[in-house]
Amino acid sequence: MAAMKPECELVEEWRDVLARHARTVCELDRELHPFGLGASDFEVLEVLAGGGDPGAGGEAPAGGGECAYRVQEIADRVHLSQSALSRLVGRLERDGLVTRGMCESDRRGVRVVLTDAGRAKYAEVRPLQRGVLARTLAGRDALPQSGAAG
Amino acid sequence: MAAMKPECELVEEWRDVLARHARTVCELDRELHPFGLGASDFEVLEVLAGGGDPGAGGEAPAGGGECAYRVQEIADRVHLSQSALSRLVGRLERDGLVTRGMCESDRRGVRVVLTDAGRAKYAEVRPLQRGVLARTLAGRDALPQSGAAG
């Protein structure tokens, strides 16, 4: 039997997750709004730009960018329902940031790929998104390096 | 200057928050659906039932339950916009779980209070909500107490 956390710890932990999530999404929406993007839009662009691996730096996904991700594959990574993601992708498509098309080697579904404009937009806003994460997630355990307790 | 986390750590931490949030909200929505509630509904009931302090056990808020919370006070605690919360409270009111009314001692705004049915519903679903938290949040650092590695 795995150790069971006390109820108060669980509730405190859940409130912490809720607060960090809300604060970060709110800040991301505010920062990205002038670029016509929201927090979830960025997550989708990041998946399409290379999976969001911090070391990848916007590399094209496997397949050379021609047969990229199916909607369900993206949904699993960005924690959206397939219907919500379809609406989001439709909006990104109208803005010229992604395109949808059947993949010739796989007739099971529509694939989504970044356009050049989408890749440029991702590169433009990525530093802003990282700046938000640094501000909103650093609070809890960022300690002064030395000479503290002033 | 506070210590700055490396970019990869920030991105990893953000993905962890997103995953824990999505997993828990999804499970809460599923568990609470048969009771006509969603994850955010529960958070609102918990605030109205006593602020969600695990030790409070559903005590009435200060004011004896007559002049309870203003919508903005609840919004700050449950991380919803005031408009989203107003819709949610309207739905809880139609279901007979809360009532809204002007507070005689404070004419600045409408106050929201739990009805008896709302308090009973909260008490009914609270163990289910705690069970979800135990399942979805325990994963990361729940270690076997002793005699592990079986």
Side-chain angles (χ1 to χ4, degrees):
Chain A
M1 202 70 181
M4 183 85 171
K5 288 189 188 183
E7 180 176 344
C8 58
E9 265 185 45
L10 281 173
V11 173
E12 202 176 297
E13 191 175 340
W14 176 228
R15 286 179 188 279
D16 182 62
V17 170
L18 283 172
R20 288 153 75 82
H21 181 268
R23 190 169 61 225
T24 307
V25 167
C26 178
E27 271 295 298
L28 287 173
D29 282 342
R30 193 194 335 250
E31 286 276 349
L32 300 177
H33 181 72
F35 300 86
L37 298 173
S40 295
D41 301 322
F42 180 87
E43 297 296 324
V44 171
L45 294 182
E46 185 149 272
V47 167
L48 295 175
D53 173 5
E59 294 301 313
E66 199 181 332
C67 294
Y69 290 95
R70 281 187 291 170
V71 169
Q72 185 57 55
E73 289 167 346
I74 305 170
D76 292 343
R77 288 170 176 243
V78 299
H79 310 293
L80 289 176
S81 70
Q82 197 158 347
S83 61
L85 181 61
S86 290
R87 285 193 299 276
L88 189 158
V89 167
R91 193 160 35 73
L92 295 179
E93 192 175 28
R94 285 194 296 280
D95 291 344
L97 303 179
V98 306
T99 54
R100 285 189 279 196
M102 296 301 288
C103 174
E104 293 200 3
S105 65
D106 174 8
R107 293 169 184 274
R108 284 176 303 169
V110 172
R111 300 276 177 148
V112 184
V113 288
L114 272 187
T115 61
D116 288 346
R119 192 169 296 278
K121 179 81 85 173
Y122 169 69
E124 184 182 10
V125 300
R126 178 178 151 139
L128 284 173
Q129 192 261 3
R130 299 297 195 254
V132 169
L133 298 189
R135 289 200 301 279
T136 60
L137 301 179
R140 200 170 53 158
D141 44 4
L143 297 170
Q145 294 286 53
S146 62
Chain B
M1 202 68 181
M4 182 86 170
K5 289 188 188 183
E7 180 176 344
C8 57
E9 265 184 46
L10 281 173
V11 173
E12 202 175 299
E13 191 174 340
W14 176 228
R15 286 179 188 278
D16 183 61
V17 170
L18 282 172
R20 288 153 75 83
H21 181 269
R23 192 170 57 226
T24 307
V25 167
C26 177
E27 270 295 298
L28 287 172
D29 283 341
R30 195 195 332 249
E31 285 277 349
L32 300 177
H33 180 72
F35 300 86
L37 299 173
S40 296
D41 301 322
F42 180 86
E43 297 296 325
V44 171
L45 294 183
E46 184 148 273
V47 167
L48 295 175
D53 173 5
E59 293 301 312
E66 200 182 332
C67 294
Y69 290 95
R70 281 188 289 170
V71 169
Q72 184 58 56
E73 290 168 344
I74 305 171
D76 292 343
R77 288 169 175 244
V78 300
H79 310 294
L80 289 177
S81 69
Q82 198 158 346
S83 62
L85 181 61
S86 290
R87 285 194 298 275
L88 189 158
V89 166
R91 194 159 35 75
L92 294 179
E93 194 175 28
R94 282 194 298 280
D95 291 344
L97 303 178
V98 306
T99 55
R100 284 190 279 196
M102 295 300 289
C103 175
E104 294 201 359
S105 64
D106 173 10
R107 290 167 187 278
R108 284 176 303 169
V110 172
R111 300 277 178 148
V112 184
V113 288
L114 271 187
T115 61
D116 288 345
R119 193 170 296 279
K121 179 82 85 174
Y122 170 69
E124 184 183 10
V125 300
R126 179 178 150 137
L128 284 173
Q129 193 260 4
R130 299 299 195 253
V132 169
L133 299 189
R135 289 201 301 278
T136 60
L137 301 178
R140 201 169 52 157
D141 44 4
L143 297 169
Q145 295 286 53
S146 61

